[in-house]
Amino acid sequence: MNSDSPIVFVVDDDYRVREALSSLVASIGLKVAVFGSAQEFLDSEKPDSPACLVLDLELPGASGLELQRELATGNGPPIIFITGHGDIPSSVRAMKAGAIEFLPKPFGEQELLQAIDAAIALDRKTRQERSELTELQKHYAVLTPRERQVLPFVVAGLANKQTAGELGTSEITIGVHRGQIMRKMAAHSLAELVRMADKLGISNRAQ
Amino acid sequence: MVRQNEDALNNPLDQNTEESAIIEWRSNQENDLALLAVERTMSADSWSRIKVLSEVRSYGLALFTCALALAIALPTDVASSCFFLAVTVSALYGGRGPGILAVVLSALALDYFFLPPQHHLSIEPFAYPRFVAFLVAAILSVVLVEMKRRAEESRLQLHLRYQAIADAAPDAIVSIDENNRIQLVNPAATKIFGWAAADLVGQALTLLLPNFRVAERTTGAEWTGRRQDGTDFSAEVSFRELSSGGRKTFTGFVRDVTDRKRAEAALQKSESYLAQAQRLSKTGSFGLNTSTGELFWSQETFRLVGLDPAVKPSLDLLFERVHPEDRARIKDLLDRASQSGADLDFAHRFLMPDGAVKYVHVLARAISGEAGNLQYLGAVMDVTAQMTAEEALRASELNFRLIVDSIPGLVCTLDASGEVETVNRQIQDYTGRILEHLQDWQLIVHPDDFAPAMKLWARSVETGEPLDTELRLRRADGVFRWFHTRSLPLRASGGSIIRWYTLLSDIEDRKQAEESVRASEYNFRMIVDSIPGMVHTMTPAGEIELVSQRIVDFFGRTPEELKDWTPLVHPEDRAYMTSRVRHAIESGEPLNVETRVLRADGVYRWLQCRGVPLRDSEGRIVRWYNLLADVEDRKNAEEALRASERELSLIIETMPALVWCAAPDGELTYVNQRVLDYTGTTLAAMAKAGWLNFLHPDDVAPTVDAWSHALASGRQHEVQYRLRRFDGTYRWFHVLGQLGRDSEGHMTRWYGLLIDIDERKNTEEALRSTQARLSRASQIATVGELAASIAHEVNQPLSAVVANGHACLRWLLAQPPNLAKAHEAAERIVRDGKDAGEVVRRVRALFKRGAIERIPLDLNDVIVEVLHLLGGEATKKGVAVETDLEQDLPSVVGDRVQLQQLLLNLLANGLDAMDPVVDRPKRLSIRSKSHCPDSVLPDSVLVEIRDYGVGLANPDRVFEAFFTTKESGMGMGLAICRSIIEAHEGRLWASSDQVPGTTFSFTLPVKAPVQARS
């Protein structure tokens, strides 16, 4: 399997549920890895591929919600909660913290598989965006300090002349900087550059 | 003055040579010493003042002489001669000016007084030839006299200069006449010789220079001078003869060279010292001018280079001698030094013409000059002997090193204080460390060996005793190996230790071999001693060799005493035993015989004696190995068993009760005749159909549960069920089963009784119903509170079932179907389904509407079951449940369901009590143990449930009905608990003594309580 094939992590302290979910997920042709506790999951090596986490709410040691909190700080996969209790406060907290789905046990096949599909699709998208952002940041990193200074003015739509006025330099210099920025950022148009800046979170300081 | 002039006239005018000056000076000197003294004291200023005065006097003289001449001439009429004389005198003593003045005055006087017209200055005096002749003669006289004066004056100047030289000369200057009489001395002479000048003049020269004879020309002659006080000194004497005016005179210099002589002597001495030192130290010195290449060599340098001192040394000559291999280097060095002026310090070799090689060390320092033109002064040392010695030493060191490095052991030397000095390569290879890192032995010696080894070593260093010990050293890869260490001290002639030589030899393999031998010996001994039978060996001839400790213990005799074993055999068996042993020894067949022997305590015991021979490769018996086993107990047991079996079967068959037996696995193996009579069947038929078939269908499940529980736990089996009689009617039986165990505790068989309780059962039923309803109501209340938790217990396996079901379907629908996976999923469905069923069953048991039972119960089982139901709740609340259940807890008699309810209530309370706890771990502990309070109260079982919750304000009131601390709660739970406990004749109480939390405790009597109240 290539590294891009999605993987489903299952964390549940009940081996019966683990086995059943493992088999079910495997039956639809997805990779699956099961863990008995949050710590086990945290300690494991995780492949670099789209993933989702089917997480039991009640776990010995760190609970599912605690694991969710922990993962939220990193680039954790989307989470589908499953629970045998299914009380409302927990589900609200889980969903608020960004869970994809909250399934009370026993749950139907369709509910789970749809949730998994949605989660993996989301993760794929997130990963894609993240890698694009990384790429953009790489491009941004090669800009000179002066070019970084010029970039907000360019994306703010200021003409070279205006920018030059703002920065106290000549129009030609700004033109050269602008060309360098476009080349280094691999932007084909100003519109594209604006989108990139937006993704990089560069504010319109020129305004 | 007059004499001087005369002398000047005597000498030619060109006398400006040194010789003539001296002569002139001498002639002046001898005539007018006093005048000279006066003049000498005159300074230049006073001299010029005198000159001015003499000018005035001169012109005065001219006036005076002219006046005198006029005075004489007027009466005598010898005017011309008088005036001529006046002019000459004026010129002579006054100089040119006064001379001219005298001429003019004379001419005017002649013209006025003596030429006509007299007393009148005539206009044409030249008409008188006499007057003209007078003028010419007078002017001529003035010019001549003036010339003479000039020459005179310049000679005087010269004279004064020499006079000054002579006065300033540090050497004595002496002038003598041909008779060696001293005529003249300079001031230095008076100082050197100590005589006054006046005393010396006229004395013989020998007064000053004894025995000195003046030769024509003496230059730098060494002589002995004598001072006035009679002391002698070294003098250098030079004399020169001067002939002047037919007289032979000598002028000489006498120089006091005492100091020079002394310096010369000292120099000579130091030079000879130096030469001697150079010769002895084989050190030559040299000087070198880098620009000219000029060389100066000392004697020793010549000798070193092997050249004749007569030869003029040069760099080319030097380089010829320099070893060809060093030549380029030395040239380069010298070139660079000549530029930089740096000190020279190098060694090189000379290749002598005879082929010998000399090592020299050259040191030089620039003492003056600039780059390119430097003066080097240096020393060159012959270090051949040193180099040769060093080379020999190096060779011997190398040799030593080779020896040490090739010793197949680790060798090191340590100084007297125990510091490591050198180590051989093996040590470095072995430890993977270099010498500098080997100072700290702690790094390489095994920690267990370090302290003792250091102690030994410290003692050796102190006492000088050789060290001989064994220790483990860390190899480079971290493995420790055993080494034998032996250190010997090297002592100086005085006996003090100079150095320690240490050899470390690897004895790991030997150690291991020793260890394994020891281990195998130990093992063998252990095996022999731990065999529960008794072991001994025998020689092929039947003599006892080795006996195990157990034999010794058994017989209470020493191995020696055991050699003669026949007296120990029971007299009745003795003959038989010896014959069997003899037979075995003779035939070589294994020995197997049972006999009675006398034990240490004097009792005869049955002993089984088995022996096998060990044979060598050729089949000869090497040794017998015999095993003795005490079979007394077995023999007795066999006998007893046989007897009891006979008796038991008689009892069982005849007793008026239904009796059954089953194998430990539950298989029915026996029923007595009465069972067969009651059911109207045979044992075979019953075994085949299964005894459950004879039970009332409603009772099958609980009976199976109880039975399987009993089988699993090995505890007493107690159940009640309805058994079908041969006529088809069911009657209630109280069934008791007990697992029989043999003396070792192995399960042998279940023994059981069926007691007909049908009558009793029917009467009890009605009595219990009331209590049952109450109890059930409270059960439902409690269980209802835990519904969510129980639902979780069901949901877990149920969700697994659902997921497995889906998975199974998918595996089946896959193309191609994955039957193996589907099968696995299906199996899990079955398993998890059963799990769910089990939970449901437990819950149902709680809800069950059934008669209150009084059956023996293991409270631990009840606790475990309840905890199973509460597990999910505890997890959810984050409570860690700890159990401390005493093994083999005595059974209590009671109603399982009610006790479950009691525990459920107390545990649920405990969990709830910890809801507010956030600052500490939530723990709930449950403990069971036997409890024997005192002789009055019956033995009981104590159960404590402790929570670490908020605690109780008034523990005594909590059991009152409608007392509650919870927001939602009727306050009935603990009241019901207390009523249950009281029904079981136990006690229930609460305490909040410990902080934090509460402990609920209850006891239940072990003994069966009196028959339940109605």
Side-chain angles (χ1 to χ4, degrees):
Chain A
M1 281 205 191
N2 64 53
S3 67
D4 194 45
S5 64
I7 184 161
V8 178
F9 300 113
V10 177
V11 181
D12 197 310
D13 59 327
D14 192 320
Y15 70 96
R16 297 171 298 206
V17 178
R18 285 206 300 275
E19 286 175 359
L21 290 183
S22 169
S23 182
L24 181 60
V25 174
S27 75
I28 61 168
L30 289 174
K31 277 203 287 185
V32 60
V34 297
F35 305 94
S37 70
Q39 198 54 45
E40 238 177 82
F41 172 73
L42 287 173
D43 291 347
S44 70
E45 284 276 323
K46 283 167 272 291
D48 180 26
S49 56
C52 80
L53 172 59
V54 179
L55 178 58
D56 191 14
L57 195 63
E58 302 88 21
L59 287 172
S63 78
L65 286 171
E66 279 164 1
L67 177 58
Q68 186 185 28
R69 252 199 311 282
E70 187 133 347
L71 291 177
T73 60
N75 294 324
I79 296 173
I80 299 160
F81 272 108
I82 54 175
T83 176
H85 286 303
D87 60 356
I88 290 165
S90 305
S91 58
V92 169
R93 257 189 295 163
M95 296 307 285
K96 268 190 174 169
I100 293 287
E101 189 60 275
F102 193 90
L103 300 175
K105 290 178 190 172
F107 40 78
E109 170 201 37
Q110 283 310 319
E111 299 169 81
L112 178 69
L113 297 184
Q114 274 167 11
I116 288 175
D117 281 347
I120 287 175
L122 176 67
D123 195 36
R124 196 172 261 135
K125 186 160 159 270
T126 313
R127 292 169 62 82
Q128 176 66 29
E129 281 170 356
R130 208 184 299 139
S131 83
E132 279 173 17
L133 185 62
T134 313
E135 190 67 20
L136 277 181
Q137 279 163 345
K138 258 190 240 164
H139 287 161
Y140 186 68
V142 297
L143 294 190
T144 63
R146 187 57 164 177
E147 284 161 4
R148 287 185 203 171
Q149 215 178 343
V150 171
L151 180 56
F153 293 95
V154 173
V155 298
L158 262 68
N160 288 357
K161 197 167 184 175
Q162 288 170 288
T163 310
E166 291 277 349
L167 293 177
T169 182
S170 78
E171 190 179 342
I172 292 169
T173 315
I174 295 298
V176 172
H177 282 317
R178 187 180 188 136
Q180 286 290 356
I181 292 168
M182 294 294 276
R183 191 181 59 74
K184 286 185 180 172
M185 294 297 287
H188 299 101
S189 66
L190 181 59
E192 200 177 344
L193 188 65
V194 171
R195 274 199 301 280
M196 287 174 177
D198 195 34
K199 280 182 183 167
L200 284 169
I202 293 164
S203 62
N204 280 346
R205 268 170 287 172
Q207 296 295 318
Chain B
M1 262 300 191
V2 177
R3 286 291 305 270
Q4 184 194 340
N5 289 346
E6 281 173 5
D7 280 340
L9 289 171
N10 289 338
N11 287 299
L13 278 175
D14 62 349
Q15 279 182 339
N16 54 357
T17 63
E18 183 187 340
E19 214 165 284
S20 61
I22 291 170
I23 293 162
E24 186 191 344
W25 163 78
R26 176 196 42 80
S27 55
N28 277 319
Q29 196 68 19
E30 66 191 0
N31 294 322
D32 199 353
L33 269 173
L35 176 68
L36 195 66
V38 171
E39 284 187 355
R40 195 168 58 234
T41 57
M42 278 181 178
S43 69
D45 282 350
S46 55
W47 186 252
S48 65
R49 205 160 48 240
I50 288 169
K51 254 186 128 174
V52 172
L53 283 175
S54 70
E55 291 272 308
V56 174
R57 250 196 334 236
S58 302
Y59 285 99
L61 180 69
L63 286 176
F64 174 70
T65 49
C66 283
L68 191 62
L70 183 62
I72 296 169
L74 281 179
T76 56
D77 199 25
V78 280
S80 296
S81 301
C82 285
F83 281 106
F84 188 76
L85 192 61
V87 168
T88 307
V89 168
S90 295
L92 190 60
Y93 292 102
R96 189 173 44 191
I100 299 292
L101 181 63
V103 169
V104 171
L105 290 177
S106 300
L108 288 176
L110 279 178
D111 188 13
Y112 188 79
F113 291 106
F114 301 105
L115 292 184
Q118 282 192 332
H119 305 291
H120 193 270
L121 283 176
S122 140
I123 315 159
E124 38 193 64
F126 299 102
Y128 304 93
R130 211 169 39 135
F131 179 70
V132 173
F134 169 78
L135 272 183
V136 170
I139 288 166
L140 200 65
S141 164
V142 168
V143 170
L144 284 176
V145 169
E146 177 61 23
M147 279 172 67
K148 171 71 181 156
R149 267 181 60 98
R150 282 277 168 88
E152 196 83 354
E153 209 155 274
S154 76
R155 241 194 345 266
L156 180 62
Q157 290 288 333
L158 193 64
H159 159 73
L160 284 173
R161 268 206 301 281
Y162 281 103
Q163 176 81 38
I165 289 168
D167 288 352
D171 296 339
I173 300 174
V174 183
S175 179
I176 48 171
D177 61 16
E178 64 262 316
N179 299 321
N180 277 347
R181 292 284 153 191
I182 295 169
Q183 293 180 308
L184 194 62
V185 292
N186 72 341
T190 63
K191 207 151 49 177
I192 288 170
F193 289 101
W195 292 92
D199 295 343
L200 279 176
V201 175
Q203 295 289 336
L205 181 62
T206 48
L207 179 73
L208 301 178
L209 298 169
N211 303 325
F212 184 78
R213 294 182 61 85
V214 179
E216 228 176 82
R217 184 178 270 244
T218 310
T219 304
E222 306 250 319
W223 210 261
T224 306
R226 181 163 295 161
R227 301 194 184 91
Q228 188 192 15
D229 58 8
T231 53
D232 290 344
F233 63 93
S234 287
E236 193 183 84
V237 184
S238 300
F239 273 92
R240 179 75 48 87
E241 184 192 319
L242 282 180
S243 296
S244 96
R247 285 186 308 172
K248 240 177 156 182
T249 61
F250 294 90
T251 305
F253 288 75
V254 180
R255 183 174 291 164
D256 182 349
V257 292
T258 313
D259 291 341
R260 203 183 77 198
K261 278 275 169 189
R262 205 178 293 134
E264 271 175 4
L267 183 66
Q268 211 161 12
K269 202 159 116 192
S270 87
E271 266 180 0
S272 89
Y273 282 172
L274 180 65
Q276 195 65 30
Q278 288 196 355
R279 198 152 47 244
L280 285 175
S281 64
K282 298 198 171 175
T283 303
S285 56
F286 66 89
L288 169 68
N289 184 318
T290 55
S291 65
T292 60
E294 202 177 330
L295 264 179
F296 162 78
W297 284 355
S298 75
Q299 289 286 332
E300 189 57 27
T301 311
F302 278 106
R303 203 173 3 254
L304 264 174
V305 181
L307 286 170
D308 185 358
V311 177
K312 180 171 165 48
S314 73
L315 281 174
D316 291 339
L317 212 56
L318 176 74
F319 282 122
E320 266 175 39
R321 279 288 195 259
V322 173
H323 198 284
E325 289 173 18
D326 297 342
R327 218 168 274 164
R329 179 169 66 91
I330 303 304
K331 272 188 179 161
D332 183 45
L333 265 173
L334 286 180
D335 285 350
R336 263 188 288 142
S338 68
Q339 291 308 314
S340 65
D343 289 357
L344 288 171
D345 185 350
F346 58 88
H348 68 87
R349 289 164 291 174
F350 278 128
L351 186 61
M352 301 321 258
D354 61 358
V357 173
K358 265 189 195 169
Y359 289 88
V360 292
H361 186 194
V362 179
L363 282 168
R365 170 166 297 173
I367 51 168
S368 67
E370 296 159 357
N373 181 21
L374 292 163
Q375 293 287 343
Y376 269 96
L377 195 61
V380 48
M381 284 162 277
D382 185 348
V383 291
T384 310
Q386 202 178 325
M387 291 298 281
T388 322
E390 264 177 24
E391 240 161 49
L393 186 62
R394 214 169 5 246
S396 105
E397 262 184 7
L398 195 66
N399 198 21
F400 168 72
R401 193 82 218 169
L402 268 174
I403 291 170
V404 168
D405 279 350
S406 55
I407 287 174
L410 280 55
V411 177
C412 62
T413 64
L414 302 97
D415 65 16
S417 64
E419 291 291 310
V420 178
E421 281 184 340
T422 58
V423 298
N424 73 345
R425 210 192 52 242
Q426 273 83 339
I427 289 193
Q428 304 195 359
D429 290 352
Y430 177 83
T431 58
R433 291 156 195 274
I434 57 169
L435 175 61
E436 284 70 32
H437 297 160
L438 281 169
Q439 294 296 350
D440 191 358
W441 285 99
Q442 194 155 12
L443 296 174
I444 53 167
V445 177
H446 192 282
D448 293 350
D449 301 340
F450 182 73
M454 279 300 119
K455 217 153 101 190
L456 279 174
W457 178 232
R459 210 187 59 204
S460 287
V461 168
E462 197 180 319
T463 61
E465 280 171 27
L467 176 76
D468 195 333
T469 184
E470 290 177 359
L471 46 75
R472 279 162 288 180
L473 295 182
R474 187 202 294 276
R475 203 165 56 191
D477 58 3
V479 174
F480 282 100
R481 288 179 73 85
W482 276 102
F483 279 83
H484 177 239
T485 306
R486 187 157 170 78
S487 291
L488 287 175
L490 173 69
R491 290 173 185 280
S493 50
S496 62
I497 293 167
I498 301 169
R499 183 172 295 143
W500 288 86
Y501 288 96
T502 302
L503 173 65
L504 297 151
S505 22
D506 189 336
I507 53 161
E508 179 71 20
D509 297 339
R510 198 189 83 202
K511 271 269 174 191
Q512 272 180 4
E514 279 176 14
E515 194 57 40
S516 70
V517 166
R518 210 178 2 253
S520 84
E521 271 176 6
Y522 179 73
N523 274 348
F524 178 68
R525 194 78 224 169
M526 284 292 288
I527 289 166
V528 166
D529 282 348
S530 59
I531 290 172
M534 299 163 280
V535 181
H536 72 91
T537 60
M538 223 160 54
T539 60
E543 195 184 331
I544 290 177
E545 273 185 328
L546 223 148
V547 294
S548 74
Q549 189 58 37
R550 275 173 188 263
I551 293 187
V552 173
D553 294 346
F554 182 85
F555 289 103
R557 313 278 167 117
T558 64
E560 270 320 299
E561 289 168 335
L562 286 169
K563 298 247 174 186
D564 183 18
W565 49 269
T566 39
L568 296 171
V569 179
H570 195 279
E572 289 175 19
D573 299 345
R574 210 170 283 163
Y576 173 70
M577 182 69 189
T578 44
S579 76
R580 285 297 299 271
V581 171
R582 195 176 310 119
H583 173 75
I585 287 167
E586 283 165 3
S587 65
E589 286 171 14
L591 176 68
N592 191 351
V593 60
E594 289 185 1
T595 181
R596 282 164 291 178
V597 295
L598 191 60
R599 202 166 61 178
D601 55 3
V603 177
Y604 279 101
R605 303 276 294 178
W606 278 100
L607 216 59
Q608 187 191 35
C609 175
R610 273 176 294 172
V612 287
L614 172 72
R615 293 168 190 275
D616 63 14
S617 53
E618 284 157 26
R620 280 181 309 223
I621 292 171
V622 177
R623 182 173 294 149
W624 283 86
Y625 288 97
N626 292 346
L627 174 68
L628 308 179
D630 186 343
V631 293
E632 177 76 23
D633 296 338
R634 197 191 78 203
K635 283 235 168 199
N636 290 344
E638 279 170 9
E639 192 51 45
L641 195 62
R642 268 194 293 279
S644 90
E645 263 183 3
R646 275 194 302 273
E647 209 169 324
L648 197 64
S649 81
L650 203 65
I651 293 167
I652 288 169
E653 290 304 330
T654 53
M655 71 186 287
L658 282 70
V659 176
W660 56 269
C661 289
D665 61 1
E667 191 195 343
L668 193 63
T669 53
Y670 170 84
V671 291
N672 73 352
Q673 192 55 42
R674 282 178 189 276
V675 175
L676 299 179
D677 290 347
Y678 176 83
T679 53
T681 181
T682 64
L683 178 60
M686 188 179 258
K688 194 179 171 200
W691 54 276
L692 289 171
N693 265 341
F694 294 86
L695 264 55
H696 191 284
D698 290 349
D699 299 340
V700 170
T703 307
V704 167
D705 274 356
W707 182 227
S708 55
H709 176 71
L711 285 178
S713 65
R715 295 179 192 279
Q716 192 179 43
H717 173 55
E718 186 165 10
V719 73
Q720 293 183 346
Y721 56 68
R722 280 157 286 181
L723 190 66
R724 192 173 67 231
R725 208 162 57 179
F726 60 91
D727 59 2
T729 58
Y730 286 94
R731 288 182 71 78
W732 276 101
F733 279 85
H734 188 96
V735 184
L736 284 170
Q738 186 76 43
L739 183 60
R741 293 175 189 270
D742 62 17
S743 51
E744 274 94 39
H746 301 301
M747 295 183 289
T748 52
R749 187 173 295 195
W750 287 92
Y751 301 99
L753 270 183
L754 296 164
I755 302 158
D756 189 333
I757 54 163
D758 199 54
E759 294 300 319
R760 199 180 75 197
K761 194 79 179 171
N762 289 335
T763 52
E764 278 178 1
E765 193 63 35
L767 297 175
R768 284 177 193 164
S769 59
T770 319
Q771 193 187 355
R773 274 199 293 280
L774 172 66
S775 170
R776 206 176 137 266
S778 65
Q779 283 164 27
I780 290 165
T782 312
V783 171
E785 281 179 33
L786 296 169
S789 165
I790 291 162
H792 180 256
E793 288 303 313
V794 182
N795 270 340
Q796 276 310 100
L798 213 55
S799 55
V801 166
V802 173
N804 276 320
H806 287 306
C808 180
L809 281 175
R810 283 191 175 273
W811 290 122
L812 286 173
L813 290 172
Q815 281 306 328
N818 190 333
L819 289 181
K821 293 276 185 191
H823 182 75
E824 284 170 19
E827 277 184 342
R828 284 196 298 270
I829 292 173
V830 173
R831 182 195 66 192
D832 299 345
K834 279 183 182 166
D835 271 8
E838 180 61 21
V839 175
V840 171
R841 188 198 64 70
R842 284 200 208 96
V843 174
R844 221 177 70 189
L846 275 175
F847 283 88
K848 193 174 75 175
R849 174 202 292 273
I852 302 293
E853 290 178 320
R854 296 282 167 184
I855 54 168
L857 286 171
D858 184 338
L859 264 182
N860 285 349
D861 292 349
V862 182
I863 292 168
V864 168
E865 258 188 301
V866 172
L867 285 179
H868 210 100
L869 280 177
L870 272 173
E873 181 79 0
T875 307
K876 187 180 162 196
K877 287 178 184 272
V879 176
V881 179
E882 298 163 354
T883 54
D884 176 14
L885 305 181
E886 184 176 294
Q887 292 296 307
D888 299 322
L889 200 65
S891 296
V892 298
V893 172
D895 187 287
R896 175 178 289 270
V897 174
Q898 284 200 341
L899 293 180
Q900 279 180 350
Q901 187 206 341
L902 166 75
L903 284 164
L904 206 56
N905 239 316
L906 295 178
L907 291 169
N909 261 336
L911 291 178
D912 290 343
M914 285 187 284
D915 278 346
V917 172
V918 288
D919 59 338
R920 53 180 182 264
K922 297 183 182 182
R923 287 197 292 145
L924 184 67
S925 67
I926 177 159
R927 194 153 72 103
S928 69
K929 63 175 188 177
S930 310
H931 187 59
C932 309
D934 52 50
S935 53
V936 181
L937 289 168
D939 285 356
S940 56
V941 172
L942 170 70
V943 175
E944 288 177 350
I945 293 155
R946 175 170 180 191
D947 66 64
Y948 291 79
V950 290
L952 287 176
N954 23 11
D956 301 330
R957 289 193 59 207
V958 291
F959 298 108
E960 291 171 16
F962 304 111
F963 178 90
T964 182
T965 57
K966 299 181 191 172
E967 284 174 20
S968 62
M970 297 197 303
M972 286 303 288
L974 289 172
I976 293 169
C977 287
R978 176 163 271 190
S979 74
I980 290 172
I981 282 291
E982 280 167 356
H984 284 78
E985 300 188 358
R987 294 199 311 121
L988 170 65
W989 69 95
S991 64
S992 263
D993 301 340
Q994 84 280 11
V995 176
T998 313
T999 305
F1000 281 96
S1001 314
F1002 66 83
T1003 57
L1004 287 172
V1006 168
K1007 237 167 28 177
V1010 291
Q1011 200 58 30
R1013 297 146 300 152
S1014 53

